[in-house]
Amino acid sequence: MPDLMSNAVSGLLAMQQALATTGHNVANANTPGYSRETVNLTTMPPQFQQGSYVGTGVQVGSVTRSYDQFVTSQLNSATSDNSRLSFLKDFSTQATQLLGDTSTGIAQQTQTFFNATQAVASNPTDPTARSAFLGSAQALTNQFNQIDSQLQNLNNQIGQQGTAIGRQINTYAQQIAALNGQISQAQATNPNALPNDLLDQRDQLINKISEQINVKASSDNQGNINLTLGSGQSLVLNDHATNLSVGNLPSGLSVTIGNSDITSRVTGGTLGGMLQAQSQLITPLRNQLGQAALVLADQVNKNQTGGVDLNGNPGTNLFTDVSAFAPQTAALPTNQGTGSAAGAYTDPTLLTGQTYQARYDGTNWQVSTQPNNGATPLTVASGGTLSLPGLNVTFSGAPQSGDVLKILPTVGAAGKIGVVQQSPSGVAAAAAGQPAYSRDNTQIQALFTLGSTTLVGQSAAGANNGVSLTDTISSAVSQAGAFAGQVQLSAQAAGATLQNLTAQQQSVSGVNLDEEAANLMKYQQAYQALSQSISSSNAMFQSLLSAFR
């Protein structure tokens, strides 16, 4: 039966929950990922009494969180993109600083080496000029070695960090799977009373995963949010998480989930930035510098062995013999067989600076360039040898269908070049057939012209339709600088977008302390008024009892 007392009690209970919820909001005003909660009050069902309906008080209909799924989805996407570009911005700055610019870095050192030949050409018998020439050769190889080593160190750091990120993603995924189980159970118990704090925790974890890798989230009707990667591989399905693994091969990071390689599908988050840094900065740089080092060593050695030294003896190699170099190859961790490949250079001037991927189809290896240029793959049987521009690759082992090998013809070659000629008199400045202490400068003068001869990446031996050594190295420096500059601009735009979306999300879900303070006063005043109603009801009841005594 409705009366003043019961109505006031229902109000007190409702205001008590409203005050508790407001206090919860204030307490979590600075909690990352927290969404402001609101108590939704509804009238209790009225009762028919003496010809009319009389109200029976108030009740808490629900406690909902301020949340916008569309904004949250946009925020996760922007977070993923911002993390990718932030990593690229910082990383590209480090990488380009190693190269210097075209006036002070590796490009200038290359030109200095070729210019040093002119002092020898001017006075072929001068030991000081010969020593300076050897010094410039040593300085050039030192810089090649140092840059390649530092780029490799940066690459190794990516590998270590990538492995750690993989473990972190797995931890987050397991936590999301556990929350899915709790939330779906709560929703099954009461679809109208959702665990808001658990929902916030799950959304925060999804955002943290988005910082590391691009992920697609989809909800079902049972309270679960399922996460997929790559081309639909499941990271979280209901209350189950699939393990993700990140490895670092010579060819770059390898990302697998279950038994699927999804490396090419990872385009966002810090992990996406790492893959982009490797594929668009580190590998191209090491390719170009390695290609230049191989052509430099090959052509300078041919020049030197074609002439005679100061003592009239046949010239010998100035740099490390190219036969001591070997292309790098790597097998993917998902391979089931034991297939492998080994390469040998035939003519470094024909090398393209590209990498290759070989995939075994069950019968033959299908070899294509990376990135794929659309050309028909070259085919070679296991145990056979394939001729590629500038090198031969021999395949061996027992591969299984679907196995993949990466072939890196020029990556790392810049770190292997060295000066083997230690004697100034051993420099071959004169043409073959000249006597000892000849002032002939034919051979050293020809060496000077190598710097501007278009030998690198030519289509056929002697075609001279490639790029010069000096231009190859200058181009590598310029391209790296242009990449870094573009990334800087993109990172600024991504940061602004993330900032705007964060502000938009906070305008919906964030706690406004001024608003909560006003709510506290409102609910407190209502609580006090309801308390007074109970006092009044009690006084009336006591008066009624007195009338019957």
Side-chain angles (χ1 to χ4, degrees):
M1 178 178 178
D3 56 36
L4 180 60
M5 176 73 76
S6 62
N7 285 350
V9 169
S10 71
L12 280 176
L13 293 174
M15 292 307 105
Q16 188 176 47
Q17 190 165 347
L19 284 167
T21 301
T22 303
H24 187 56
N25 286 338
V26 173
N28 287 280
N30 297 312
T31 301
Y34 178 78
S35 298
R36 177 172 56 88
E37 295 181 358
T38 302
V39 172
N40 302 304
L41 302 175
T42 61
T43 57
M44 295 179 70
Q47 291 186 11
F48 188 77
Q49 181 177 330
Q50 298 180 357
S52 63
Y53 285 96
V54 179
T56 60
V58 66
Q59 63 182 349
V60 175
S62 62
V63 179
T64 57
R65 60 178 184 147
S66 301
Y67 178 74
D68 188 319
Q69 177 61 52
F70 179 69
V71 173
T72 299
S73 179
Q74 284 187 310
L75 183 62
N76 288 339
S77 178
T79 298
S80 185
D81 198 43
N82 183 69
S83 294
R84 174 183 67 87
L85 289 166
S86 292
F87 177 85
L88 276 176
K89 180 188 70 174
D90 295 339
F91 188 86
S92 61
T93 299
Q94 293 182 64
T96 52
Q97 285 175 347
L98 302 177
L99 301 172
D101 56 35
T102 54
S103 61
T104 61
I106 181 69
Q108 179 58 36
Q109 191 63 57
T110 304
Q111 189 60 59
T112 298
F113 165 73
F114 285 108
N115 289 342
T117 62
Q118 295 305 286
V120 180
S122 298
N123 191 355
T125 61
D126 181 13
T128 301
R130 287 169 169 267
S131 294
F133 171 70
L134 289 181
S136 67
Q138 188 64 62
L140 177 58
T141 58
N142 286 346
Q143 197 153 13
F144 268 120
N145 298 163
Q146 183 180 25
I147 291 174
D148 189 75
S149 175
Q150 291 174 321
L151 288 173
Q152 186 174 12
N153 287 339
L154 289 176
N155 193 59
N156 291 340
Q157 291 174 23
I158 283 181
Q160 294 170 1
Q161 188 177 350
T163 301
I165 284 176
R167 291 194 296 266
Q168 194 173 57
I169 290 172
N170 289 331
T171 299
Y172 292 150
Q174 291 164 7
Q175 292 173 351
I176 290 171
L179 285 169
N180 272 346
Q182 297 175 54
I183 293 168
S184 60
Q185 183 178 2
Q187 181 169 320
T189 302
N190 187 346
N192 297 319
L194 297 179
N196 295 323
D197 291 338
L198 296 184
L199 293 171
D200 286 341
Q201 290 176 33
R202 187 174 63 181
D203 286 341
Q204 182 71 358
L205 288 169
I206 293 172
N207 186 261
K208 286 182 178 296
I209 287 182
S210 297
E211 289 181 0
Q212 310 298 352
I213 192 171
N214 54 299
V215 63
K216 181 179 180 181
S218 59
S219 59
D220 58 18
N221 295 324
Q222 299 175 345
N224 299 299
I225 287 187
N226 299 320
L227 304 180
T228 55
L229 300 172
S231 53
Q233 286 78 12
S234 175
L235 178 64
V236 175
L237 180 61
N238 299 335
D239 60 354
H240 175 73
T242 303
N243 192 62
L244 178 138
S245 177
V246 180
N248 194 34
L249 305 174
S251 56
L253 288 177
S254 171
V255 185
T256 57
I257 182 167
N259 295 320
S260 301
D261 186 308
I262 62 168
T263 307
S264 62
R265 303 280 185 171
V266 178
T267 58
T270 302
L271 206 54
M274 291 176 172
L275 285 165
Q276 192 174 350
Q278 287 182 323
S279 64
Q280 297 185 25
L281 190 61
I282 295 180
T283 298
L285 270 177
R286 296 188 74 197
N287 265 334
Q288 288 175 293
L289 294 177
Q291 184 183 16
L294 287 166
V295 173
L296 177 71
D298 177 64
Q299 293 298 305
V300 171
N301 286 347
K302 285 180 177 178
N303 170 276
Q304 287 294 283
T305 56
V308 295
D309 64 16
L310 191 59
N311 298 315
N313 298 320
T316 58
N317 287 341
L318 175 65
F319 295 121
T320 310
D321 197 298
V322 174
S323 62
F325 296 72
Q328 294 189 53
T329 61
L332 291 190
T334 53
N335 287 2
Q336 300 298 310
T338 59
S340 61
Y345 298 110
T346 55
D347 185 349
T349 66
L350 302 181
L351 292 168
T352 62
Q354 293 176 307
T355 59
Y356 299 89
Q357 176 175 287
R359 181 180 294 275
Y360 193 66
D361 62 8
T363 304
N364 296 303
W365 289 100
Q366 304 290 331
V367 182
S368 55
T369 58
Q370 294 294 298
N372 198 319
N373 59 9
T376 302
L378 301 173
T379 301
V380 60
S382 182
T385 298
L386 179 66
S387 292
L388 295 170
L391 77 157
N392 290 330
V393 180
T394 301
F395 294 86
S396 59
Q400 297 292 317
S401 180
D403 285 357
V404 173
L405 299 176
K406 300 287 188 177
I407 303 167
L408 315 170
T410 57
V411 168
K416 300 174 184 177
I417 187 174
V419 176
V420 296
Q421 177 59 265
Q422 302 300 321
S423 172
S425 63
V427 175
Q434 294 294 324
Y437 291 93
S438 170
R439 294 188 60 81
D440 179 70
N441 66 0
T442 302
Q443 208 67 14
I444 199 71
Q445 193 64 42
L447 179 55
F448 172 74
T449 63
L450 280 177
S452 56
T453 304
T454 53
L455 295 168
V456 183
Q458 57 186 357
S459 61
N464 286 348
N465 60 352
V467 181
S468 70
L469 278 163
T470 52
D471 286 348
T472 297
I473 296 172
S474 295
S475 175
V477 175
S478 298
Q479 288 176 20
F483 178 84
Q486 181 181 359
V487 165
Q488 294 279 346
L489 294 175
S490 298
Q492 291 176 10
T497 299
L498 178 61
Q499 186 175 9
N500 291 337
L501 282 169
T502 300
Q504 186 176 350
Q505 189 265 349
Q506 283 299 298
S507 70
V508 174
S509 301
V511 175
N512 185 316
L513 292 177
D514 291 336
E515 182 180 348
E516 298 304 322
N519 285 337
L520 282 173
M521 293 180 62
K522 178 177 69 174
Y523 296 138
Q524 184 180 12
Q525 289 173 357
Y527 193 91
Q528 291 170 345
L530 289 163
S531 298
Q532 185 62 44
S533 294
I534 292 177
S535 296
S536 299
S537 174
N538 183 58
M540 292 171 61
F541 184 67
Q542 293 300 325
S543 297
L544 181 62
L545 288 177
S546 297
F548 288 96
R549 288 175 183 168

